[in-house]
Structure formats: C-alpha cells, structure tokens
Amino acid sequence: MKLLTIDGHFLRKAIIHAVNKLEENKEIVNSLNVFPVPDGDTGNNMAATAQSAAKAVAALETENIYEVAKAASSGALRGARGNSGVILSQLFRGFAKGLEGKKEATAYNISNAFLAATEASYKAVMKPKEGTILTIGKSLALAGEELAKKEEDIKELLKGMLASAHKMLIKTEFMLPELRAAGVVDSGGKGLLYMIEGMLEADYSLEVNLKTPIALKETVMNSAFASGEIDIEFGYCTEMFIDLETGVNRLKFEDVEDPLKKFLDTMGDSIVLVGDENIVKIHIHTNDPGLVMQKSLTYGQLSNIKIENMRLQHEELVSFAPNVKTSTTAKTSKPAKKTPKEPEKQLGIIAVSSGKGFTNILEGLGVDYCISGGQTMNPSTEDFLSAIEKVNAKEIIILPNNSNIILAAEQAAKIEKSKKIYVIPSKTVPQGVSAMYSFNPDAKTSEAIKSMETSAKNTATGEVTFAVRDTTIDGLAIKKDDILCILNNKIIDVKKTPKEGAEVILAAMLKDECEFINIYYGENGTEIEAKELKNFTEKLNDSVEIEIHSGNQPLYHYIISAE
C-alpha cells in the first residue's frame, strides 16, 4: 500500500524510531573517529542531540506535521552537543522550516523539507567541508528532489534517497585526506543514515517509546554530593514548556522574556529561560513549583512538565555510598532565603574545562564559571545557556577550549538575547589558559577579546594519550594501546610509554621559538614523571621557562603547551 501523505502522528513516530536506531548504533559511529584516540564522541553527541528532539515530540498528540517538526527543531537546538550535534540540530531546523504551514505532507513536501534542511545546515558552518555530514545531508536532499518528480510514495522516496546517500557515504573516505588515511567513512554521515534507516524499518501500526540512552562510561559521583555535604537551598528541579500560541494574547518570546525572567528570579536559582518564537522553556530550582506553573499558565498551555525532589534524590543517592555519614543540611520547614547575587559587572567569562586542576587554574585567572566538559563530554547549547544565566554580567566571553564545542557555544550566543555574548574560538584548554593570562578586565571589550584571541592563536598544544584501535595515519603504523604523540591536532609519532611520548612533543616544540612551556599531568600521569620531563626539557634548552601543573584531565596522560 502506497504512503501518499504523512501527518504529525506519523512524523512523531518516525523521529522516535530514527533516534532509537541511532542510539543502538552510536558506538559504531564513535568508532569511525579519524584519530584512534579514546575520545571519539560523534555518536554520543548526535545521539544526545537527537534524544532532545525526540523528547520534545514524545508526548505530542497533534496531527499537524509542522507543529511536530517545529517541536523537534526546538528540542534539538537546545540539546545540541559537538559540531555534529549542532549540524544535526540545523538539519532539524531547516526540515521544520520546509514544512511550515503544512498540516500533512506529500513526497514532494518531504523532498522540499530535506532541501531546506540542507540549506540550513550549510549556513550553520562558516567554512563548509565536503566529505562530512553536510555532504550526506545534501546527497539525501538532491536525490529526494529528483525522485519526487515521479515518485508519490513517501517510503519509496526515502528508500531511494537512502540508497543514493549510502553510495555517497562510501565516497567520503576518499573526499578528505584524513578519512582516506584512517580508512573510514565520515562518522556524522553514518549517524545520519542510521536515522533514515530507523524511519524505514519502523512498524507504524504500533506505538513506539523512546529508548533509554545507553551509558557508555561509568559516572563518577561528586565527592561532596556523595558524602551528603550539599546544602540544597531550593529543593525542586522544575522544567516545562509554554506554548505561547495557546495563550489569550498569543505573545512572542521576546514579549514575555523580561517579565518572566524577573518573576523566576524571585522564585529560586539555576534559572534557564530560553525561547524560539512561540515556545518557551523554563528550568528552575525552586521551593514552590506550583507558583511557577501558575504564572506560566497565564502565558499559555504547559507541556513536558517535570518536577523532581532533589533533596529526596540526594538522600537516596547518599544511601548507596558505603561508610559515609549523611548530613543533609537543607531545611524544609520554611522557604530558604535566596543568596544575594554578585553585583552585575560589565564583562564576565565562561570557560569549558576538563579536569579539576584546569578548573582551578582558569578560575584563579578570573573565569567566572567553568563548564565541566571537553572530549567525550561536549557541553550542549543549553549547558551554555544555563552558564550564561549564572554569570551576572552585561557581556560575556565564552572560551570553548575544544574545536568540537565551538559551534554549540556560537549557537547559544545566537539564542541568548538579554546579554551580549562573544565566542573566542579556543581549541584547547591551554589556549584558554593563555587567553586568560592576557585578559585585562579594565580594557574595552573589543580590546580584551583581541588580546585573548592573539594569545590563544600563539599557543601550541601537545597531547599524550593512547590508541584505541589499529590504523595507519600519515605513514605511521599505529597499534591499539600505543602512545600517541599529538602536536596541534596532528599525530607526529608513536611511542610505547607516556614519558617517551611527552619527550617527543617537547623536543618538537623547542624547534620553534618559545619562551614558556607548561606541562599538565592528568589522571594517568604523575608529578614525579612531569618533573623528569622538565629536566629533560631544560637539558635541551635552559632558557625556556617551564612550569608543572596538575590538570587532572582524563584520558590524556600529559597536555603540554608552548608560547
């Protein structure tokens, strides 16, 4: 039986099936990372982004296909993680734009939506590169455009689009030198095709549930949280969406942003208020979620309501920690007084940090708020929006400190309307540290940014980690568990021990003129070995100033910077 049109119910199921398929295969997508390092996270980032889209539509009951597509777009936008996740969110955004005004869609409408998705995704990237997820999205769209001229069956349309895109995916291995050297196809493109496969494999006669994300790594409990030392001032984590179109006055987000933010500011902390035209999302920690809901209802209907008792969760979590005395200090007899905010300042700084040591360094240099993240833990757009809300400043500089996080930071900057946000494209944490050393809080914002950007660009970064698979890159034969010597994102050698790897990087850095070298030892490095590396460097060049720090970073034995 031909499928000539689809409505909102069908699209909702299709999105959930697509996300479930990606979730099941995200480890395969991770494994296609070009570098054989232990932090390939394209699959994780795409799955987390897609999960946000699916959660936004899971409870929708509308037949209107545009309303479902728009909700998925909003969810993906705020949940976007990593470059691949941000591009995926833009594919969702363009797809929704292509269905604007439609209650149901034909094959022709679907093909147009894919074309709009491709256009939006290319616009999101400053310098689009072929051989990536962008190419696969475009391949789907162009195939759909041709097929829709003669094919009315939507399933047959998608099958033809998928077959064409699979052929293009194979070609990606030869479109980029790094993919050809590693012998892999593009990971983001592979993830996107898993989603299309999920749509086609689905049984739409049955209801579908969103699968629970597969945990890939053990979560380490924060020691203070585990020991019961947290003073939970506002006990209920409260989240909800407001549909402004259903309100009496049919307001826009910009109409309600300021008054709603002022109200929420009196009700608790950890406030995140974001919006997209007619949809508003609220996140707040409060002692009275009922009042928050009552106020929100004056603007429109509520959906995706979630209220969690953090005090109860804390007590339950602590009970699992052996040999720990619990001493929850929150008082529930009366609402706690809100801690006064720091006075508003002109310029604040947010930085992404991987490791407690790096966080201490960045905060010591003047960073107002550090987001825990980096490789394997890319913060989402909403993580940045939450951090922006916490920094009481008119203008904010963001240091992403990872090339895979820059797009998510820039997306948050576009969404945030109440503050001026600047993103300095720092690609490593040492670049962020160098930027902070040159930061002058008394300078004009434009001058401060220029100085920080220059310092970041002039900082070379070396990394010592281990290989997770066999491969060959730039003529180097790499075996699983070999030590990789990475300088400025290029593998320059392979060794057997972390110390040998660090020595290779230090010797390479000294070939160029540099005045300062910083050695950051991670969870798998040691201070004793770091001191030996300092002695090694001083023997090669005794005029260079060398400092040793505990970065406490995971996965990377040593991170080394040269300025």
Side-chain angles (χ1 to χ4, degrees), residues 1 31 99 127 137 188 229 259 261 268 308 399 472 489 533 537:
M1 184 176 177
S31 71
L99 293 175
K127 295 180 180 179
E229 296 171 358
K261 186 175 291 185
E308 295 177 344
L399 294 167
T472 300
N489 205 35
L533 291 170
T537 308

Side-chain angles (χ1 to χ4, degrees), residues 9-216:
H9 292 310
F10 192 100
L11 182 60
R12 177 181 63 83
K13 289 183 180 181
I15 291 170
I16 295 173
H17 278 297
V19 174
N20 285 344
K21 181 74 174 183
L22 176 59
E23 182 64 36
E24 291 169 3
N25 293 279
K26 66 183 180 184
E27 275 285 40
I28 295 175
V29 178
N30 285 337
S31 71
L32 295 174
N33 189 46
V34 171
F35 277 3
V37 292
D39 50 23
D41 50 13
T42 299
N44 296 354
N45 289 334
M46 290 186 70
T49 303
Q51 281 276 344
S52 294
K55 288 176 182 177
V57 304
L60 289 182
E61 297 181 357
T62 178
E63 295 181 355
N64 188 299
I65 194 169
Y66 172 60
E67 290 176 1
V68 173
K70 185 179 176 183
S73 170
S74 294
L77 186 71
R78 286 157 180 75
R81 296 176 186 270
N83 292 345
S84 56
V86 172
I87 293 171
L88 180 60
S89 75
Q90 294 305 302
L91 286 168
F92 271 107
R93 178 172 173 267
F95 188 84
K97 193 71 175 174
L99 293 175
E100 188 170 4
K102 302 284 189 299
K103 292 184 178 180
E104 59 181 22
T106 63
Y108 176 76
N109 299 144
I110 294 297
S111 69
N112 279 345
F114 271 95
L115 286 169
T118 294
E119 183 180 356
S121 66
Y122 271 83
K123 284 182 178 179
V125 181
M126 188 172 295
K127 295 180 180 179
K129 187 181 292 186
E130 297 301 336
T132 65
I133 185 176
L134 293 171
T135 303
I136 301 307
K138 181 169 65 175
S139 177
L140 287 167
L142 293 178
E145 185 180 29
E146 284 301 311
L147 289 166
K149 293 176 182 178
K150 56 184 178 180
E151 182 59 71
E152 295 182 345
D153 188 333
I154 295 173
K155 276 203 169 185
E156 291 303 316
L157 174 78
L158 289 175
K159 285 179 184 178
M161 291 167 61
L162 181 63
S164 179
H166 266 304
K167 292 178 183 178
M168 182 59 71
L169 181 66
I170 294 171
K171 294 179 182 179
T172 60
E173 180 181 341
F174 308 99
M175 295 176 75
L176 289 172
E178 53 265 39
L179 294 178
R180 186 186 305 116
V184 296
V185 298
D186 178 66
S187 56
K190 181 71 171 176
L192 180 58
L193 295 193
Y194 272 131
M195 296 181 71
I196 304 299
E197 288 174 8
M199 291 179 178
L200 283 167
E201 293 171 2
D203 182 349
Y204 289 91
S205 66
L206 303 174
E207 190 49 68
V208 58
N209 294 315
L210 186 60
K211 291 183 179 179
T212 303
I214 301 167
L216 298 177

Side-chain angles (χ1 to χ4, degrees), residues 376-396:
T376 76
M377 307 179 290
N378 291 169
S380 68
T381 298
E382 192 156 14
D383 289 332
F384 281 108
L385 291 169
S386 178
I388 289 168
E389 182 65 33
K390 290 180 173 69
V391 177
N392 194 19
K394 295 177 181 177
E395 300 176 290
I396 294 176

Side-chain angles (χ1 to χ4, degrees), residues 302-372:
L302 308 183
S303 63
N304 295 78
I305 301 169
K306 184 178 74 172
I307 301 173
E308 295 177 344
N309 186 329
M310 295 186 295
R311 295 182 183 116
L312 183 60
Q313 287 179 333
H314 172 54
E315 290 167 2
E316 290 173 346
L317 182 57
V318 170
S319 70
F320 285 99
N323 305 318
V324 174
K325 293 182 180 179
T326 64
S327 57
T328 306
T329 57
K331 296 180 180 179
T332 58
S333 58
K334 61 180 181 179
K337 291 183 178 180
K338 187 175 179 182
T339 304
K341 284 186 176 182
E342 292 291 325
E344 184 181 49
K345 56 183 181 179
Q346 183 62 35
L347 184 60
I349 299 180
I350 294 169
V352 177
S353 172
S354 58
K356 185 178 179 181
F358 273 121
T359 297
N360 291 338
I361 293 168
L362 288 164
E363 289 179 344
L365 291 171
V367 169
D368 296 282
Y369 190 89
C370 280
I371 301 174
S372 179

Side-chain angles (χ1 to χ4, degrees), residues 34-37 181-182 465-486 491-496:
V34 171
F35 277 3
V37 292
T465 188
F466 58 93
V468 294
R469 58 180 167 85
D470 296 352
T471 188
T472 300
I473 294 180
D474 293 335
L476 292 171
I478 298 169
K479 299 294 183 182
K480 185 176 181 295
D481 297 325
D482 278 350
I483 296 299
L484 305 177
C485 315
I486 305 172
I491 299 176
I492 61 172
D493 208 343
V494 180
K495 293 295 179 182
K496 293 300 179 184

Side-chain angles (χ1 to χ4, degrees), residues 413-425:
K414 291 177 183 176
I415 295 174
E416 173 61 41
K417 303 297 183 184
S418 62
K419 302 176 183 179
K420 183 65 176 176
I421 311 298
Y422 306 92
V423 178
I424 292 177

